[in-house]
């Protein structure tokens, strides 16, 4: 049985690649934040408290356009609402007796990648494992933002585009290993990719934000999968 420190170290080890990928992606955000008029402290504070690439880039655009606080808040709620679903999923993997204090800290650190490695943990999920992942992911995102603000426009556009691709590579690294060992997961990933493509091509869905599209696709696929391939209650025991 792993100790709290052992769980933390395991999470930290799995979180290092995430932190490295976050550093590359948030570097771009830091440069854009400087162009929008934010100083290093404001930029890093935004990264540490928000922890979402889509939400931060959207928020930065609204800040630069002098949008109202209410508009910014509503936009963030819509874009980041997919994390509600991730929280619901992780709540089924943790011990029911986990305190509210631990739940709140875990909730703050949930991102697509942190969720990906956490939900793939066999058996029950320890909060300390998630803390380990967060210990690598959050500093990577914050430091990347800081270096981006400091560097300004020094780096060439081609290099910035290359850094942005790191996020997609990181997402692939999260979903491929579980899919290789489970045909159901592999099939669901394929279906989600097809539906995502459909949602980008069909005109009726064009007005929906990326966050809303993700929620619709997630609820649809997860609902069907839960009905067709139900998970036994003792799976996480």
């Amino acid at each position: 049985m792993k100790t709290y420190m052992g769980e933390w170290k395991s999470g930290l080890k799995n979180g290092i690649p995430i932190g490295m990928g976050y550093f590359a992606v948030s570097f771009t955000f830091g440069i854009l934040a400087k162009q929008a008029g934010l100083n290093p402290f404001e930029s890093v504070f935004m990264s540490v408290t928000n922890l979402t690439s889509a939400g931060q880039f959207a928020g930065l655009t609204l800040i630069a356009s002098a949008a109202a606080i209410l508009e910014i808040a509503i936009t963030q709620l819509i874009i980041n609402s997919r994390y509600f679903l991730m929280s619901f999923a992780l709540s089924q993997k943790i011990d029911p007796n986990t305190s509210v204090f631990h739940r709140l800290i875990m909730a703050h650190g949930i991102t697509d990648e942190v969720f990906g490695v956490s939900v793939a943990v066999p058996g029950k999920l320890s909060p300390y494992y998630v803390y380990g992942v967060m210990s690598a992911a959050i500093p990577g995102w914050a430091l990347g933002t800081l270096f981006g603000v400091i560097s300004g426009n020094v780096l060439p556009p081609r290099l910035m585009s290359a850094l942005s691709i790191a996020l997609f590579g990181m997402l692939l690294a999260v979903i491929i290993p579980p899919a290789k060992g489970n045909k159901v997961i592999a099939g669901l990933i394929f279906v989600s990719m097809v539906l995502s493509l459909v949602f980008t091509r069909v005109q009726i869905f064009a007005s929906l934000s990326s966050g809303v599209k993700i929620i619709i696709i997630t609820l649809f696929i997860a609902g069907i999968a839960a009905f067709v391939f139900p998970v036994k209650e003792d799976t996480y025991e």
Side-chain angles (χ1 to χ4, degrees):
M1 182 176 181
K2 289 186 176 180
T3 63
Y4 292 155
M5 182 58 67
E7 293 284 359
W8 181 84
K9 289 181 179 179
S10 178
L12 179 65
K13 179 181 178 181
N14 292 336
I16 290 176
I18 296 177
M20 295 174 64
Y22 279 1
F23 181 90
V25 177
S26 61
F27 200 99
T28 305
F29 171 78
I31 292 179
L32 295 178
K34 181 178 181 180
Q35 294 176 351
L38 273 64
N39 59 41
F41 173 79
E42 293 169 339
S43 303
V44 174
F45 184 78
M46 184 176 182
S47 287
V48 172
T49 56
N50 204 335
L51 291 179
T52 162
S53 58
Q56 286 187 220
F57 282 107
L60 192 62
T61 302
L62 293 173
I63 292 174
S65 61
I69 295 179
L70 181 60
E71 181 181 355
I72 297 176
I74 294 176
T75 301
Q76 292 300 308
L77 177 62
I78 295 175
I79 292 178
N80 298 325
S81 52
R82 67 185 184 277
Y83 295 123
F84 289 130
L85 303 178
M86 298 180 190
S87 298
F88 294 155
L90 290 183
S91 69
Q92 304 304 304
K93 283 185 63 67
I94 62 178
D95 191 311
N97 296 321
T98 302
S99 67
V100 175
F101 176 77
H102 285 302
R103 292 172 185 266
L104 290 176
I105 298 178
M106 292 173 65
H108 172 69
I110 292 178
T111 64
D112 299 51
E113 294 74 27
V114 173
F115 167 78
V117 297
S118 298
V119 79
V121 172
K124 288 292 184 181
L125 176 65
S126 168
Y128 295 91
Y129 175 87
V130 181
Y131 297 162
V133 180
M134 292 167 57
S135 297
I138 295 178
W141 189 258
L143 289 175
T145 299
L146 177 62
F147 277 82
V149 175
I150 296 175
S151 299
N153 296 321
V154 176
L155 298 180
R158 289 187 177 182
L159 180 56
M160 296 309 305
S161 298
L163 290 174
S164 299
I165 296 177
L167 181 62
F168 298 99
M170 183 168 48
L171 287 171
L172 290 176
V174 170
I175 65 176
I176 289 178
K180 292 173 64 177
N182 192 313
K183 293 182 179 180
V184 174
I185 294 179
L188 294 176
I189 291 175
F190 177 77
V191 173
S192 66
M193 293 172 62
V194 173
L195 287 180
S196 297
L197 177 62
V198 171
F199 269 54
T200 59
R201 298 297 182 181
V202 178
Q203 185 64 31
I204 192 175
F205 301 117
S207 60
L208 298 178
S209 68
S210 58
V212 173
K213 291 178 183 177
I214 291 175
I215 291 176
I216 294 175
I217 294 174
T218 301
L219 289 176
F220 178 75
I221 296 178
I224 294 178
F227 179 78
V228 180
F229 308 104
V231 178
K232 296 181 180 180
E233 292 184 1
D234 61 348
T235 297
Y236 295 138
E237 296 296 335

